[in-house]
Amino acid sequence: MTRVIVVGGVAGGATAASQLRRLNPDIEIVIYERYRDISYGSCGMPYYIGGDVEKWDSLTNMTPEKFRDRNIFVKTEHEITAVNSKENTVTVYDKNSDTEFTDSYDYLILSPGGSPKKLPAVKDAAQTFSLHKLADLDYIVKFIKENNIKEAVLVGSGYIGLEVTENLTKRGIKVTMLQRDERIYKNIEADMNGVLYEAMTEKGVTLKLNTEIDYVDGGKAVLSNGETIDAPLIITGVGITPNTEFLNSSNITLKDGLIPINKNGQTNIDNIYALGDAVMTHFQHVPEMTIQSALAWPAHRLAHIIANQLAGDRSITHEGLLGTNIVKFFDYNIATFGLSEKDIAEIPHFTVDQKQKNKSGYMKDASPIHIRVYVSKDSGLILRAAVVGTEGADKRIDVLSAHTRLGGTVYDLINIEVGYSPPFSSPKDVINMVGYKAIEKAEDL
Amino acid sequence: MTRVIVVGGVAGGATAASQLRRLNPDIEIVIYERYRDISYGSCGMPYYIGGDVEKWDSLTNMTPEKFRDRNIFVKTEHEITAVNSKENTVTVYDKNSDTEFTDSYDYLILSPGGSPKKLPAVKDAAQTFSLHKLADLDYIVKFIKENNIKEAVLVGSGYIGLEVTENLTKRGIKVTMLQRDERIYKNIEADMNGVLYEAMTEKGVTLKLNTEIDYVDGGKAVLSNGETIDAPLIITGVGITPNTEFLNSSNITLKDGLIPINKNGQTNIDNIYALGDAVMTHFQHVPEMTIQSALAWPAHRLAHIIANQLAGDRSITHEGLLGTNIVKFFDYNIATFGLSEKDIAEIPHFTVDQKQKNKSGYMKDASPIHIRVYVSKDSGLILRAAVVGTEGADKRIDVLSAHTRLGGTVYDLINIEVGYSPPFSSPKDVINMVGYKAIEKAEDL
């Protein structure tokens, strides 16, 4: 019988296993997960801290027991330490029994994810946490309750930093955010991130730029700027390292520590597939450029593709990603897709900025949306889009994403027929206006 | 000098004139508007009643004075009563002086709009209004204030009926809505309109189905069901008749009282263009089917096209419409695009229904969105989409619209890369799930 081993049981791996079982009742499926939990909604964890997620249980989709009912065998606390792609075997370390064994596969699905980077200055302090696994969430919530935490230090301003800051604040905890350089949330353009500062001011978050923790002294943190601040809870969100070291001897090609995949979801080795945060793929709209696939949407999409590939339908393939992403920070939403600003600098392009209300301008609760697009001079395609606003920023990035994905140019945005009514847009929505402005701008090029 | 006459100065006509002036500083432009006001946001009027629009002035864009500064001549209270397309003249009736004169044009732009249908049983009652022109809004608001109105009867349940009901309720006025048959808001599927009943129950709106007003007796309305109810204010919203009678002798082709246009925005007569509520065009995605263009988005789009055509750029053309539309009713949003249910019945199709939360299911304020799509069996195109929900229904119709417009099939919805974060969607958004379900359904066809 065909045997499939899945490495990693969080979003990507668990979903791929489920879908494969659905497509093929006979195949043997084993999931090895190196930590305690599988198949949970890690993106929801910050919202459990703040109370928008009320039930812990709702964060978990599948348990090992439920998987067993579907004839999928899950081994938690089991870490894959090596892959032998010639022998089609993996080395498995069972943390519970502290033993190692070998298992063999016909197909291997890699979904190893990443690990949060640790900061040497704080990592040994008892009050330091990252929020990556479900167990991390449990530790944090328990720690907050047991120590009646009223203040916290958040190191980093990525999406985890922002979401955790919002949710700690909602919980009544006063947050000091530290950013080691002078630019927060680098997913968005430096000159478009003003709403983040506004939100912090409105909500009482203290931000210290160009500041790190030098060391922790009991309940205090001594900062690089000379200050000493209360730090009864420290949460770090300073990026992710892909968990791919175990592949070093595997003959699986790695690039910058990531696993490149082809349109079938395959690594360089035919019977080894990969998905999730440790994967490198290409931009859908600029195929010669690569992108790390470290978001939930791509993990779920690739799970479906890989399951179908393994089940024998080779027609369902991966087209690449736009990299559409969004973060909520209090009332503000920030979204982008496409190449990085740095990569775009090398491509002949022009930009179009449009600031316009999210609904008809005469509505008293209308609020501004700022869209910037970077347009290929050659093709008119939107290489990158950035959207900042409150309500409705998510709509605009999704519409831009759907349009660009199908090859729509910036000029053609004028023709997107939005559902118009005063609470939702203008008769010429901000999306349409980006197109009208692009047409004018192109005439002057 | 080339002379352009524009018939009708509300959204379509005023916008076309503005854009034409922008493209060509020399052309002579005259707007004839038969009523008091020009260039106002008629879609915002219901929201002025409820207070979401705070400033009356914000509803008006341009005044005759501002137009004059741009060398556009506006004559209000001037009605065009006939067009002589052989002589290139129009007959103009000046209401103020009760005189008639003839004016001549090189190009004519028709934007005559429609008039609200009147109900014989109530039209002569002093407390009966429709909400179509800006002057109507003024009458209604003055009447409410002067008579300290606390109750109102709303006849009809179209988008005007719903929006006015919501806004009267917000103003503290108790509304009784009458619908002459048993189905409200026929833009949406009968089995998807349940949220409208829910909203009425929640907000204290009384709905009477299969009920009309037989006659008005002072401040009371006697209903067809035998009841007599207080009716100190009656607002009717029972549809629009296109204002095209003045074209009967013009040789301009009319169809069902509407003015068919081609891709240039032209009527059957080359130098006569038309846009706005009285225009008939075709569906973009099903070009053999016609659609009335009675919404603001198409009026603005066609204004741009016609202005460019007249200014000499024949490359900017009209591609047809999807008919994307949306209405807000209290917390609920209802949106559709595409063919009517009736027209679809004649095309081989299948439907896909998906009910899913608008954000990640574990978020406590997640609420359901219901999408139904009608899919062409031949092409996989979405012939019609219907979306019902609260927050985020507008996003889904716009994404479906952008996707369908570019020829995207229902099956390809699985690849729309949405901006995912728990407050905005699921990793497989409801849009994606419609695609996944369609693929399964197609396998069983």
Side-chain angles (χ1 to χ4, degrees):
Chain A
M1 193 189 289
T2 303
R3 182 173 167 86
V4 174
I5 289 179
V6 180
V7 182
V10 189
T15 309
S18 292
Q19 303 219 346
L20 183 55
R21 171 58 71 234
R22 215 168 146 197
L23 293 166
N24 185 327
D26 300 321
I27 220 162
E28 222 178 308
I29 307 175
V30 179
I31 300 175
Y32 289 112
E33 164 55 44
R34 65 173 175 158
Y35 293 116
R36 188 190 75 183
D37 301 293
I38 57 156
S39 187
Y40 53 89
S42 57
C43 304
M45 296 190 302
Y47 299 94
Y48 184 73
I49 295 174
D52 280 341
V53 175
E54 288 178 321
K55 293 178 188 159
W56 186 94
D57 283 351
S58 70
L59 289 175
T60 60
N61 302 310
M62 292 289 286
T63 58
E65 293 69 34
K66 284 193 211 162
F67 267 124
R68 200 179 308 130
D69 293 344
R70 299 176 64 183
N71 205 23
I72 295 171
F73 297 91
V74 177
K75 303 280 185 184
T76 57
E77 306 285 357
H78 280 64
E79 182 171 358
I80 305 297
T81 56
V83 174
N84 185 330
S85 61
K86 284 179 186 144
E87 303 289 337
N88 291 331
T89 61
V90 292
T91 308
V92 188
Y93 171 62
D94 177 353
K95 292 182 180 181
N96 290 323
S97 63
D98 192 23
T99 55
E100 205 170 73
F101 62 92
T102 298
D103 196 358
S104 63
Y105 60 82
D106 297 296
Y107 295 98
L108 187 63
I109 300 176
L110 302 173
S111 183
S115 292
K117 290 180 184 163
K118 306 248 180 205
L119 291 175
V122 301
K123 72 182 173 58
D124 297 325
Q127 74 267 46
T128 299
F129 301 88
S130 55
L131 179 56
H132 188 67
K133 303 184 300 293
L134 194 53
D136 298 334
L137 176 65
D138 298 342
Y139 298 143
I140 290 171
V141 171
K142 187 161 175 274
F143 188 87
I144 289 173
K145 284 181 184 164
E146 286 185 355
N147 298 281
N148 192 22
I149 295 295
K150 295 290 176 201
E151 281 174 287
V153 177
L154 207 303
V155 186
S157 66
Y159 68 93
I160 285 285
L162 295 180
E163 289 175 351
V164 174
T165 293
E166 173 178 345
N167 281 290
L168 287 171
T169 304
K170 275 191 164 177
R171 208 185 163 102
I173 295 172
K174 174 125 186 51
V175 178
T176 298
M177 180 183 276
L178 306 181
Q179 173 61 32
R180 67 173 173 174
D181 58 21
E182 58 192 11
R183 179 169 168 191
I184 56 173
Y185 196 62
K186 296 186 180 63
N187 281 356
I188 192 71
E189 280 60 2
D191 65 336
M192 290 176 77
N193 71 8
V195 297
L196 296 174
Y197 298 102
E198 282 176 39
M200 289 189 204
T201 304
E202 286 165 17
K203 305 294 181 179
V205 175
T206 303
L207 173 67
K208 295 182 187 291
L209 296 175
N210 298 308
T211 308
E212 294 179 90
I213 296 177
D214 274 351
Y215 60 93
V216 178
D217 184 3
K220 307 269 184 186
V222 180
L223 306 183
S224 57
N225 66 1
E227 278 184 85
T228 298
I229 63 173
D230 286 336
L233 170 64
I234 300 170
I235 297 179
T236 62
V238 292
I240 296 288
T241 310
N243 296 326
T244 52
E245 277 194 19
F246 74 105
L247 299 175
N248 283 343
S249 60
S250 68
N251 293 319
I252 296 170
T253 302
L254 297 179
K255 207 174 154 184
D256 302 333
L258 298 170
I259 313 166
I261 56 166
N262 66 15
K263 69 181 170 54
N264 304 319
Q266 287 166 307
T267 67
N268 62 308
I269 292 168
D270 276 358
N271 64 337
I272 303 182
Y273 293 76
L275 74 167
D277 292 1
V279 157
M280 174 185 284
T281 176
H282 64 277
F283 280 100
Q284 188 263 355
H285 63 320
V286 190
E288 62 274 24
M289 306 287 285
T290 60
I291 174 177
Q292 182 180 359
S293 156
L295 291 168
W297 189 92
H300 282 79
R301 185 73 206 95
L302 273 165
H304 175 257
I305 291 162
I306 291 171
N308 275 277
Q309 288 278 334
L310 284 184
D313 184 348
R314 301 276 162 176
S315 72
I316 295 177
T317 57
H318 170 58
E319 60 179 29
L321 298 173
L322 292 171
T324 315
N325 66 85
I326 187 163
V327 70
K328 176 180 179 295
F329 188 58
F330 296 104
D331 297 333
Y332 298 102
N333 306 320
I334 295 186
T336 71
F337 70 70
L339 308 185
S340 69
E341 293 172 81
K342 184 161 153 277
D343 286 341
I344 283 173
E346 293 160 30
I347 302 177
H349 73 277
F350 66 96
T351 60
V352 179
D353 277 85
Q354 175 68 3
K355 289 181 194 175
Q356 188 176 323
K357 294 289 173 69
N358 59 349
K359 43 189 84 177
S360 290
Y362 46 65
M363 299 292 279
K364 73 179 176 195
D365 64 344
S367 75
I369 287 197
H370 180 180
I371 297 184
R372 180 176 299 159
V373 294
Y374 301 73
V375 182
S376 162
K377 282 189 183 175
D378 292 339
S379 66
L381 281 178
I382 297 172
L383 301 167
R384 173 181 174 82
V387 182
V388 173
T390 61
E391 201 187 327
D394 60 326
K395 171 163 78 174
R396 273 63 177 206
I397 202 71
D398 283 5
V399 171
L400 287 170
S401 169
H403 179 79
T404 301
R405 199 197 135 247
L406 286 179
T409 66
V410 74
Y411 313 117
D412 195 30
L413 291 177
I414 62 173
N415 289 311
I416 295 181
E417 194 179 332
V418 301
Y420 164 63
S421 162
F424 303 104
S425 71
S426 304
K428 284 182 191 133
D429 186 58
V430 56
I431 291 285
N432 301 131
M433 284 307 299
V434 171
Y436 284 109
K437 277 185 120 169
I439 290 170
E440 278 186 19
K441 202 149 181 178
E443 285 166 359
D444 301 335
L445 286 179
Chain B
M1 193 187 289
T2 303
R3 180 171 168 88
V4 174
I5 288 179
V6 179
V7 180
V10 189
T15 309
S18 293
Q19 302 219 346
L20 183 55
R21 169 59 69 237
R22 213 169 148 197
L23 294 166
N24 185 325
D26 301 321
I27 219 162
E28 221 178 310
I29 307 175
V30 180
I31 301 176
Y32 289 112
E33 165 54 45
R34 66 173 175 158
Y35 292 117
R36 186 190 76 184
D37 300 292
I38 58 156
S39 188
Y40 53 89
S42 58
C43 305
M45 296 190 302
Y47 299 94
Y48 183 73
I49 296 174
D52 281 342
V53 175
E54 288 179 320
K55 292 178 189 158
W56 186 93
D57 283 350
S58 69
L59 289 174
T60 60
N61 302 310
M62 293 288 285
T63 58
E65 293 69 36
K66 284 192 211 161
F67 267 123
R68 200 179 308 131
D69 293 343
R70 300 177 64 184
N71 205 25
I72 294 172
F73 297 91
V74 178
K75 302 280 185 186
T76 57
E77 307 284 357
H78 281 62
E79 183 172 356
I80 305 296
T81 55
V83 173
N84 185 330
S85 61
K86 283 178 186 144
E87 303 289 335
N88 291 331
T89 60
V90 293
T91 308
V92 187
Y93 170 63
D94 177 352
K95 292 183 180 181
N96 290 323
S97 63
D98 192 22
T99 54
E100 205 169 74
F101 61 93
T102 298
D103 195 359
S104 62
Y105 60 83
D106 298 295
Y107 295 98
L108 186 63
I109 300 176
L110 302 173
S111 183
S115 293
K117 289 180 185 164
K118 306 248 179 204
L119 292 175
V122 301
K123 72 182 173 58
D124 296 326
Q127 74 267 46
T128 298
F129 301 88
S130 55
L131 179 57
H132 188 68
K133 305 184 298 295
L134 194 53
D136 298 333
L137 177 64
D138 298 343
Y139 298 143
I140 290 171
V141 171
K142 186 161 175 273
F143 189 87
I144 289 172
K145 284 182 183 163
E146 288 184 354
N147 298 280
N148 192 23
I149 295 294
K150 295 290 175 201
E151 281 175 286
V153 177
L154 207 302
V155 186
S157 66
Y159 68 93
I160 286 284
L162 294 178
E163 289 175 352
V164 174
T165 292
E166 172 178 345
N167 281 289
L168 288 171
T169 303
K170 275 191 164 175
R171 206 183 164 104
I173 295 172
K174 176 125 185 49
V175 178
T176 298
M177 180 183 274
L178 306 182
Q179 173 61 32
R180 66 173 175 174
D181 58 20
E182 58 193 10
R183 179 169 169 194
I184 56 173
Y185 196 62
K186 295 186 180 64
N187 281 355
I188 192 69
E189 278 61 2
D191 65 334
M192 292 176 76
N193 71 8
V195 298
L196 296 175
Y197 298 103
E198 282 176 37
M200 290 189 205
T201 304
E202 286 166 16
K203 305 295 180 180
V205 175
T206 303
L207 173 67
K208 295 182 188 292
L209 297 175
N210 298 308
T211 307
E212 295 178 88
I213 295 179
D214 273 352
Y215 60 93
V216 178
D217 183 5
K220 307 270 183 185
V222 179
L223 306 183
S224 56
N225 66 1
E227 277 183 85
T228 298
I229 62 172
D230 286 336
L233 169 64
I234 299 170
I235 297 180
T236 61
V238 291
I240 295 288
T241 309
N243 294 327
T244 52
E245 277 195 18
F246 74 105
L247 299 175
N248 283 342
S249 60
S250 68
N251 292 318
I252 296 170
T253 302
L254 297 180
K255 207 174 155 184
D256 302 333
L258 298 169
I259 313 165
I261 56 166
N262 66 14
K263 71 180 168 57
N264 303 320
Q266 287 165 309
T267 65
N268 62 306
I269 293 168
D270 276 0
N271 65 336
I272 302 182
Y273 293 75
L275 74 167
D277 292 1
V279 157
M280 175 184 283
T281 176
H282 63 278
F283 280 100
Q284 188 263 353
H285 64 320
V286 188
E288 63 274 23
M289 306 287 284
T290 60
I291 175 178
Q292 182 179 0
S293 155
L295 291 168
W297 189 93
H300 282 80
R301 184 73 205 95
L302 273 166
H304 176 258
I305 291 163
I306 291 172
N308 274 278
Q309 288 278 334
L310 283 186
D313 185 347
R314 301 278 161 174
S315 73
I316 295 177
T317 56
H318 170 58
E319 61 180 28
L321 298 172
L322 291 171
T324 315
N325 66 85
I326 187 163
V327 70
K328 176 178 180 297
F329 189 59
F330 296 105
D331 297 333
Y332 298 103
N333 306 319
I334 295 187
T336 72
F337 70 69
L339 308 186
S340 68
E341 293 172 80
K342 185 162 153 275
D343 286 341
I344 283 173
E346 293 161 31
I347 303 176
H349 72 277
F350 65 96
T351 61
V352 180
D353 276 86
Q354 175 67 6
K355 289 180 195 176
Q356 189 176 321
K357 294 288 171 70
N358 58 350
K359 41 188 85 178
S360 290
Y362 46 65
M363 299 292 278
K364 72 177 176 196
D365 63 345
S367 74
I369 287 196
H370 180 180
I371 297 183
R372 180 175 299 158
V373 293
Y374 301 72
V375 181
S376 161
K377 282 190 183 175
D378 292 339
S379 66
L381 281 179
I382 297 173
L383 301 169
R384 172 181 174 82
V387 182
V388 173
T390 62
E391 202 186 326
D394 60 326
K395 172 163 75 174
R396 274 63 177 204
I397 202 72
D398 282 6
V399 171
L400 288 170
S401 169
H403 178 79
T404 300
R405 200 197 134 248
L406 287 178
T409 65
V410 74
Y411 312 118
D412 194 30
L413 291 177
I414 62 174
N415 288 311
I416 294 182
E417 194 179 332
V418 301
Y420 165 64
S421 163
F424 303 105
S425 72
S426 304
K428 284 182 192 135
D429 186 59
V430 55
I431 289 286
N432 301 131
M433 285 306 301
V434 171
Y436 284 111
K437 279 185 119 170
I439 290 170
E440 279 186 19
K441 201 146 182 181
E443 283 166 359
D444 300 335
L445 287 179

